[in-house]
Amino acid sequence: MIGENMLVLELASVLAGPSVGQFFAELGARVIKIENAATNGDVTRRWKLKSEPADTDTPAYFCAANWGKESLPLNLSQQNDLEQLYSLVKQADIIIASYKPGDAEKLQVDYKTLQTINPALIYGHLTGYGPEEDRAGYDAVIQAETGFMYLNGEPDGGPTKLPVALMDILAAHQLKEGLLVALLKREQTGQGQYVQVSLVQAAVSALANQATNWLVAGQNPQRMGSEHPSIVPYGTVFTTQDNKQLVLAIGDDRQFERLCNVLGAPETAQDTKFKTNYSRVQNRKELNELLRELIAKQNQQQLLNTLHKLHVPAGAVNSVADVFELPQARQLLLESPDAKPGVRQVAFKVGDDEPVQLAPPPAYKT
């Protein structure tokens, strides 16, 4: 594995930075989570569901991104603890940090300081808004400021926060990629690197076609529920006769024709109002009403089985509990006899490499 014999020091908390730390643990690295002893560790140790015991220090949120790590509480404002960190930096390959601009310098754990200790060090730094703005980055605020909340929700409803801290996840992926590029550059040059990622830029880069809907087509995207602005029916949710839900993702006209044949309405695919994707976009409302009536006569699983055999994109609307009945999801489980399951950050396989077996999220020990 790429991470064998690699030491990663995690000077980060909450989700984005720690998920990058777990990523490297899954690649075989030794990951030491430096927790702030002045605040009794990562704040997510105290983010608990109503159903969780009050005395646990490894609640579900913390467990989302902290498998395979060692925990080392340090108060970096204390010289002895700072020197202990510096001794680890001498051996480290990667630092993952999530300080507001200026805070790492105050603590003497910024890249310039640590590079003097270890010139080959790669330092990944997550901020909310980049080096010029010292606001802390919070996922919900970034969702609002980068258009995601405005776009998410039903047309007649208000802006809606996504139920996952997706801005943190997007920033984490950007940092993983940046750190891997920095490792490659170090192989080529022997020099360490400073890798910067902001949540706001990670979010903007992920607006994808919604960004170019504005930049290229001049259309300011609006809330559409599950609808797609450029494809119909795509993302639309329908309810079947057995009161279950499914989603369609029809990407081309051939798929639409097969769908209509399965639903017993082949003439719909030949109707000039629906024959092409462009015409379906123009007549979205009328088509959706027609499809709702046709699909309401079907059994969900029988319909899905038929559509899958014909390579028509469709799927059940699953709860999270349903998701972990899927074989693909179960393959991503992290399991240990001493803990409830977790989910891997690494969802790819390279060659014949087998997944690394990880220890459960560490308890906090003073």
Side-chain angles (χ1 to χ4, degrees):
M1 298 293 286
I2 189 175
E4 287 180 338
N5 304 314
M6 183 182 291
L7 175 60
V8 177
L9 303 180
E10 183 185 296
L11 296 168
S13 60
V14 189
L15 184 59
S19 71
V20 179
Q22 183 176 311
F23 170 80
F24 279 101
E26 291 180 40
L27 295 183
R30 180 188 180 196
V31 180
I32 302 177
K33 183 179 182 69
I34 309 298
E35 301 200 58
N36 188 352
T39 59
N40 294 315
D42 193 315
V43 66
T44 61
R45 289 188 183 276
R46 295 178 290 284
W47 291 1
K48 300 169 188 178
L49 296 169
K50 186 177 179 180
S51 59
E52 294 185 287
D55 60 352
T56 182
D57 66 359
T58 54
Y61 199 112
F62 180 82
C63 291
N66 286 292
W67 277 72
K69 303 176 187 177
E70 305 167 37
S71 173
L72 177 60
L74 294 176
N75 183 341
L76 298 179
S77 65
Q78 303 295 318
Q79 190 61 34
N80 287 343
D81 285 13
L82 186 60
E83 292 296 336
Q84 188 175 349
L85 175 68
Y86 286 170
S87 67
L88 289 169
V89 169
K90 292 176 183 177
Q91 314 159 45
D93 294 281
I94 294 174
I95 297 280
I96 300 167
S98 60
Y99 296 108
K100 298 197 309 292
D103 284 2
E105 287 78 4
K106 292 175 186 175
L107 291 169
Q108 302 174 74
V109 293
D110 55 292
Y111 175 59
K112 288 183 179 179
T113 300
L114 300 187
Q115 187 193 34
T116 64
I117 300 171
N118 180 353
L121 186 68
I122 294 170
Y123 190 110
H125 191 182
L126 284 159
T127 63
Y129 299 89
E132 307 303 324
E133 190 167 343
D134 63 1
R135 289 171 65 198
Y138 291 90
D139 185 273
V141 177
I142 301 290
Q143 286 193 36
E145 293 176 332
T146 58
F148 280 83
M149 279 185 67
Y150 183 85
L151 289 171
N152 190 40
E154 293 300 321
D156 56 353
T160 305
K161 184 180 74 66
L162 296 160
V164 172
L166 186 60
M167 309 304 104
D168 280 356
I169 300 298
L170 293 170
H173 283 304
Q174 291 283 351
L175 186 57
K176 292 171 192 174
E177 293 160 10
L179 291 172
L180 292 173
V181 170
L183 283 168
L184 178 59
K185 290 185 73 171
R186 190 175 69 176
E187 284 293 310
Q188 297 168 340
T189 67
Q191 299 298 308
Q193 302 286 334
Y194 182 51
V195 181
Q196 299 181 64
V197 173
S198 73
L199 270 69
V200 70
Q201 288 190 329
V204 171
S205 75
L207 282 171
N209 61 293
Q210 296 287 21
T212 51
N213 284 349
W214 166 246
L215 296 171
V216 176
Q219 177 174 309
N220 192 9
Q222 303 296 310
R223 283 186 292 283
M224 299 181 66
S226 293
E227 295 284 313
H228 193 291
S230 309
I231 319 172
V232 177
Y234 192 102
T236 316
V237 178
F238 299 96
T239 303
T240 54
Q241 188 178 46
D242 48 343
N243 203 33
K244 295 181 180 180
Q245 293 180 312
L246 59 83
V247 65
L248 295 173
I250 304 300
D252 64 38
D253 299 334
R254 293 172 301 167
Q255 293 171 353
F256 181 69
E257 185 174 355
R258 290 181 215 140
L259 170 68
C260 293
N261 289 340
V262 169
L263 295 176
E267 70 284 356
T268 302
Q270 305 307 317
D271 191 320
T272 56
K273 290 185 293 186
F274 311 130
K275 190 170 184 178
T276 67
N277 180 67
Y278 185 80
S279 61
R280 292 193 294 275
V281 170
Q282 309 305 313
N283 297 285
R284 178 192 304 270
K285 184 175 180 181
E286 183 179 350
L287 176 59
N288 281 342
E289 287 300 321
L290 177 58
L291 291 176
R292 282 192 183 92
E293 293 175 10
L294 293 169
I295 290 172
K297 301 173 184 177
Q298 305 285 327
N299 172 277
Q300 184 214 51
Q301 198 55 56
Q302 290 176 357
L303 177 57
L304 287 175
N305 289 342
T306 303
L307 293 176
H308 293 167
K309 288 176 184 176
L310 295 172
H311 307 291
V312 177
V317 178
N318 287 334
S319 70
V320 174
D322 296 330
V323 170
F324 286 98
E325 297 301 317
L326 299 175
Q328 297 90 342
R330 299 198 67 81
Q331 289 168 8
L332 290 178
L333 288 180
L334 287 159
E335 296 183 288
S336 167
D338 302 320
K340 296 286 188 181
V343 180
R344 293 187 178 275
Q345 300 290 322
V346 173
F348 58 81
K349 186 171 182 180
V350 179
D352 296 325
D353 287 349
E354 290 298 321
V356 173
Q357 299 303 307
L358 299 182
Y364 184 77
K365 296 179 181 178
T366 56

